[in-house]
């Protein structure tokens, strides 16, 4: 059986609910995995995990807060009753103003060091989690008024939460209310084709599929 247990670290209240839906769908629908357990996420605001340097206009990892979050997630994995199932600490953050190609290696080094013996990985959504909704907008017409052609390259065009808010069918887009529902409805294949950062998430899980 292709099995995995994940202890996620996320930055927003919306991702606390959405991450379980997202990871389960990718594992089962995209990768053909058999069993996935997603532990209750560790939530830590981005402003604590990263420090913004206004002079350099970049973010740098905050090792103290990252260490705290990663060790907490790793401890959750070690407390599991079924220790035979492969496990992963997964940090998921938004890129926002940062370049993922610069940020991911910095975060990965810190996260893997603090995870100890636990397997660990970092995925940075470029530009935001909502950019993945933009990438799959044609499959989300129950939630979005998509009268114009969706962006061909939402990451390069820096389309994120603002794009979703402008086209949202409800009174107001809310991460805590709508993020999980839209995650359940989005077309994963379209999103993977149009969003390199979402493809990175799929590849991170795919690598663990081969080890399970």
């Amino acid at each position: 059986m292709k099995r995995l247990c994940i202890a996620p670290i996320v930055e927003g209240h919306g991702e606390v609910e959405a991450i379980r839906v997202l990871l389960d769908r990718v594992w089962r629908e995209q990768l053909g995995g058999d069993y996935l357990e997603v532990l209750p996420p560790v939530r830590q605001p981005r402003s604590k995990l990263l420090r913004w340097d206004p002079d350099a206009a970049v973010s740098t990892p905050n090792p103290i807060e990252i260490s705290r979050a990663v060790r907490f997630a790793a401890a959750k994995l070690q407390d599991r009753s079924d220790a035979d199932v492969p496990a992963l600490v997964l940090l998921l953050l938004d890129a926002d103003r940062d370049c993922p190609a610069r940020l991911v290696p910095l975060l990965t080094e810190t996260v893997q060091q603090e995870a100890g013996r636990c397997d660990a990985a970092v995925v940075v959504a470029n530009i935001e989690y909502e950019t993945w909704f933009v990438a799959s907008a044609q499959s989300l017409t129950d939630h979005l008024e998509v009268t114009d052609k969706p962006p061909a390259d939402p990451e390069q065009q820096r389309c994120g939460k603002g794009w979703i808010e402008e086209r949202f069918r409800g009174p107001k887009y809310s991460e805590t209310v709508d993020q999980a529902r839209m995650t359940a409805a989005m077309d994963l294949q379209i999103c993977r084709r149009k969003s390199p950062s979402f493809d990175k998430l799929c590849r991170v899980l795919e690598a663990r599929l081969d080890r399970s």
Side-chain angles (χ1 to χ4, degrees):
M1 291 182 67
K2 303 295 186 180
R3 304 184 297 171
L4 184 65
C5 180
I6 302 179
I9 303 169
V10 298
E11 62 176 275
H13 290 285
E15 284 97 341
V16 169
E17 296 298 326
I19 191 69
R20 188 187 305 271
V21 178
L22 181 69
L23 295 177
D24 187 72
R25 290 196 63 203
V26 171
W27 185 253
R28 296 175 187 275
E29 296 176 30
Q30 282 289 293
L31 306 178
D34 299 301
Y35 171 84
L36 180 72
E37 180 181 5
V38 181
L39 301 182
V42 176
R43 193 189 75 82
Q44 190 65 282
R46 189 180 193 276
S47 59
K48 287 191 174 183
L49 295 173
L50 298 173
R51 297 167 172 160
W52 178 251
D53 182 343
D55 295 327
V58 296
S59 296
T60 56
N62 182 342
I64 295 175
E65 293 296 340
I66 290 177
S67 173
R68 184 175 299 157
V70 171
R71 291 185 180 187
F72 187 27
K76 286 187 171 190
L77 291 174
Q78 293 168 358
D79 288 342
R80 293 175 302 138
S81 58
D82 192 352
D84 293 333
V85 177
L88 173 68
V89 173
L90 176 66
L91 173 61
L92 174 65
L93 289 177
D94 290 348
D96 287 341
R97 294 173 286 183
D98 288 296
C99 171
R102 185 199 67 86
L103 188 59
V104 169
L106 294 176
L107 287 168
T108 299
E109 180 180 1
T110 305
V111 167
Q112 290 182 340
Q113 179 179 346
E114 296 300 330
R117 295 183 179 180
C118 288
D119 186 16
V122 175
V123 174
V124 173
N126 191 19
I127 304 299
E128 298 170 312
Y129 190 103
E130 284 81 5
T131 303
W132 295 347
F133 295 153
V134 180
S136 56
Q138 64 199 76
S139 64
L140 293 172
T141 53
D142 286 347
H143 303 273
L144 302 173
E145 291 276 1
V146 188
T147 56
D148 51 345
K149 187 176 181 180
D153 192 342
E155 294 187 4
Q156 287 296 320
Q157 294 172 250
R158 300 193 62 81
C159 300
K161 188 184 301 182
W163 194 94
I164 296 298
E165 289 174 338
E166 289 175 2
R167 294 158 178 82
F168 192 67
R169 285 186 179 274
K172 183 180 180 181
Y173 171 72
S174 166
E175 293 97 328
T176 54
V177 175
D178 301 303
Q179 206 163 335
R181 293 192 303 166
M182 293 176 71
T183 298
M186 64 191 282
D187 188 307
L188 302 180
Q189 193 62 36
I190 294 174
C191 186
R192 188 172 186 181
R193 187 168 65 247
K194 296 179 67 174
S195 169
S197 62
F198 182 73
D199 178 64
K200 170 65 181 297
L201 172 65
C202 295
R203 288 186 285 111
V204 163
L205 296 184
E206 193 168 29
R208 276 70 192 178
L209 185 77
D210 294 336
R211 303 174 194 173
S212 60

